[in-house]
Amino acid sequence: MMAGDNSGQGSEWWRGCVIYQVYPRSFQDTTGDGSGDLKGITARLAHIASLGVDAVWLSPFFKSPMADMGYDVSDYRDVDPMFGTLEDFDALVAEAHRLGLKLIIDQVISHSSDKHEWFAESRASRDNAKADWYVWADAKPDGSAPNNWQSLFGGPAWEWDATRRQYYMHNFLAAQPDLNFHNPDVQDALLDTVRFWLERGVDGFRLDTVNYYVHDRWLRDNPPLASSVAGTNGSTSTYGFQEHLFDKTRPENLEFLKRFRALLDEYPDRAAVGEVGDEERSLQTLAAYVSGGDKLQMCYTFDLLSPQFSAAHVRGCVEAFETTAPDGWVCWAFSNHDVVRHASRWTRPGESPDAMAKFSIALLSCLRGSICLYQGEELGLEEAELAYEDLRDPVGIRFWPGVKGRDGCRTPMVWQAEAENAGFSTAKPWLPVPLAHRGRAVDIQDGEGGSVLAAYRSILALRKLHSALIAGSIRFLEAEGDVLAFIRQQEDEILLCVFNFAAEPANWALPAELGDVEITPLAVDVAGVLGGVVEESALALPPLGSFVGRIG
């Protein structure tokens, strides 16, 4: 079995799989232009496979003017020259499959770039073949926007177009007009682009902003959030002041997701994971999108991508999902390309980011669901502090200094500590390589038993050996203080998982409900991670300590 092979799960390879997210622009440059490319990813796939993951998710590499770093697509069927060619993509697919890795690509279909040929035709007149392919609306009598909807990036979600003399909707940048999913021709065209990549051998899709596809056809105003009326919700964007009832998460979206799933089902062993961005009802939305076996295989929310770090928070999130979506499947992640890296987000003053990184991968690997890792977290990379003049993210540029944007988690991967630009590129990188990251480069950590990288490899290998951690049930046990304890069970395999979130040692008394059982540690100290010790009728855990043991 190859390093990333999860083929034993057959057509449900996605259930319990480990996904590694690559941000292509920051992974490896082979052309000397300062930006990563597809050939660079292919060259580094062996590193990804060495972690023991099952799949690779690529953030967008499609043709794009890069107004939002590729999340503004101008051609859904081509590779942006910055990243290479379709032939480069085919070579990447072939190498991933040779290494036993599934390949997942980002589908950004809620909106396109304003440079897409579809939008160019749509905005040309009100009566052309694609006039209704985007969300257009007349101005109010006083010339103002059609309703009160706000862009996630701040300000109204409407942009005036002088040619059509109408407004068009954009949930994000004005350069990202929203497609009109009420038009079946739009759905057909988008599904055709999905088929294009299925035919090229991709194994799955990560659906960006999956609950933003459909808008309220009557364009009703969103009501204000009760907290925002008093100005107490702390939002740095006008978007956070509304309850988003009508601009997203519409019931009609479920019908499109059924069409998407039907297309996937034409190809064996394909899967999709949706990104649910829904502040008020994320779990209910997730449950609806993964229930019934006729929509998405799994979704993820931002619940564990927040600054909250406690046993109670994690338990609350997991139990809420298990209750709300008992027949669904979730994908958990602690970091991605849109949030502050968790090694910075959760490490408290005086604590070691390495200790936090090791604790986090142990915890993530024991949760019920699939898991997603973000490039560089296996090195314990912290959020980069960048100067304003180095920013490339439109969010950071617009809202600085209140919001620093997302560039701090998107800086280049560090491969060789002493090499030019840490081995990422021979040219000036598109974002700086932080000096602090060099000391965590792959070549330094590779082969070092106590490194974060070694911990990731060890813990993921441990997870792969135990079916209870991949697809087993989960049941929480009572624990005092900042301790999280739960049982994972798959048939006869019963595992006890206990985590001390506190900065002080903890003693967790084995609950009476376990009975008189023998608990055997799976590993006493895997790369400095699982340091919990059974002492008579209690479990001793160091600060940020973890324990995984077999019961019986």
Side-chain angles (χ1 to χ4, degrees), residues 337-375:
H337 64 291
D338 280 333
V339 300
V340 173
R341 288 183 176 275
H342 68 267
S344 293
R345 208 169 68 236
W346 290 342
T347 300
R348 293 164 292 218
E351 285 184 337
S352 163
D354 282 7
M356 179 59 72
K358 293 175 182 180
F359 173 87
S360 297
I361 187 57
L363 171 62
L364 186 63
S365 295
C366 289
L367 295 179
R368 181 176 184 267
S370 300
I371 64 175
C372 188
L373 315 177
Y374 177 54
Q375 68 178 51

Side-chain angles (χ1 to χ4, degrees), residues 302-360:
F302 287 80
D303 294 321
L304 297 184
L305 294 167
S306 73
Q308 294 173 275
F309 177 75
S310 70
H313 177 65
V314 174
R315 178 174 178 173
C317 291
V318 175
E319 285 189 322
F321 170 78
E322 294 291 326
T323 301
T324 309
D327 66 336
W329 197 253
V330 69
C331 183
W332 299 113
F334 292 164
S335 283
N336 69 16
H337 64 291
D338 280 333
V339 300
V340 173
R341 288 183 176 275
H342 68 267
S344 293
R345 208 169 68 236
W346 290 342
T347 300
R348 293 164 292 218
E351 285 184 337
S352 163
D354 282 7
M356 179 59 72
K358 293 175 182 180
F359 173 87
S360 297

Side-chain angles (χ1 to χ4, degrees), residues 71-351:
Y71 282 88
D72 50 318
V73 179
S74 58
D75 189 339
Y76 287 103
R77 298 170 183 257
D78 204 359
V79 174
D80 193 274
M82 172 190 295
F83 300 119
T85 64
L86 282 170
E87 290 71 26
D88 294 335
F89 178 81
D90 293 338
L92 194 162
V93 173
E95 178 64 4
H97 288 169
R98 187 188 73 81
L99 291 169
L101 296 168
K102 303 290 188 182
L103 190 68
I104 298 170
I105 66 172
D106 227 321
Q107 285 297 108
V108 190
I109 57 176
S110 69
H111 55 267
S112 76
S113 165
D114 62 351
K115 299 299 188 290
H116 197 293
E117 61 180 16
W118 296 345
F119 188 69
E121 184 174 349
S122 186
R123 79 190 312 177
S125 69
R126 299 191 188 190
D127 57 3
N128 66 75
K130 291 185 174 59
D132 194 35
W133 277 42
Y134 292 82
V135 184
W136 295 94
D138 290 329
K140 289 182 177 179
D142 63 357
S144 59
N147 61 24
N148 71 345
W149 296 352
Q150 298 291 297
S151 161
L152 194 74
F153 289 172
W158 298 97
E159 183 76 4
W160 177 253
D161 183 77
T163 302
R164 280 188 55 144
R165 294 178 56 80
Q166 283 184 305
Y167 282 95
Y168 67 84
M169 178 188 172
H170 58 93
N171 269 307
F172 301 93
L173 297 175
Q176 295 168 292
D178 271 59
L179 286 151
N180 179 17
F181 277 73
H182 291 292
N183 186 331
D185 292 339
V186 171
Q187 294 190 19
D188 291 345
L190 290 170
L191 290 174
D192 282 345
T193 69
V194 173
R195 186 182 296 276
F196 175 85
W197 296 104
L198 286 167
E199 291 290 334
R200 297 198 94 90
V202 304
D203 301 287
F205 300 91
R206 179 264 188 184
L207 299 180
D208 182 65
T209 58
V210 69
N211 58 310
Y212 286 71
Y213 294 169
V214 183
H215 67 285
D216 177 54
R217 62 171 74 242
W218 295 281
L219 304 182
R220 287 172 284 185
D221 280 353
N222 284 328
L225 276 177
S227 60
S228 69
V229 172
T232 59
N233 70 342
S235 177
T236 55
S237 167
T238 55
Y239 189 83
F241 286 78
Q242 293 183 355
E243 184 177 359
H244 294 276
L245 295 182
F246 299 114
D247 53 347
K248 64 180 182 182
T249 321
R250 303 301 301 158
E252 300 95 326
N253 202 27
L254 296 173
E255 297 308 310
F256 174 75
L257 295 182
K258 291 178 183 178
R259 294 194 65 194
F260 190 98
R261 176 61 176 269
L263 172 58
L264 279 192
D265 287 348
E266 293 180 24
Y267 297 79
D269 301 341
R270 303 305 205 272
V273 53
E275 175 200 33
V276 174
D278 201 342
E279 301 78 9
E280 298 90 33
R281 52 195 186 279
S282 61
L283 284 174
Q284 291 84 350
T285 302
L286 187 153
Y289 286 12
V290 298
S291 65
D294 60 350
K295 295 176 283 294
L296 303 180
Q297 281 83 358
M298 53 185 173
C299 285
Y300 74 89
T301 72
F302 287 80
D303 294 321
L304 297 184
L305 294 167
S306 73
Q308 294 173 275
F309 177 75
S310 70
H313 177 65
V314 174
R315 178 174 178 173
C317 291
V318 175
E319 285 189 322
F321 170 78
E322 294 291 326
T323 301
T324 309
D327 66 336
W329 197 253
V330 69
C331 183
W332 299 113
F334 292 164
S335 283
N336 69 16
H337 64 291
D338 280 333
V339 300
V340 173
R341 288 183 176 275
H342 68 267
S344 293
R345 208 169 68 236
W346 290 342
T347 300
R348 293 164 292 218
E351 285 184 337

Side-chain angles (χ1 to χ4, degrees), residues 49-63:
S50 78
L51 299 174
V53 306
D54 305 299
V56 181
W57 152 29
L58 302 183
S59 288
F61 53 84
F62 311 108
K63 193 172 182 181

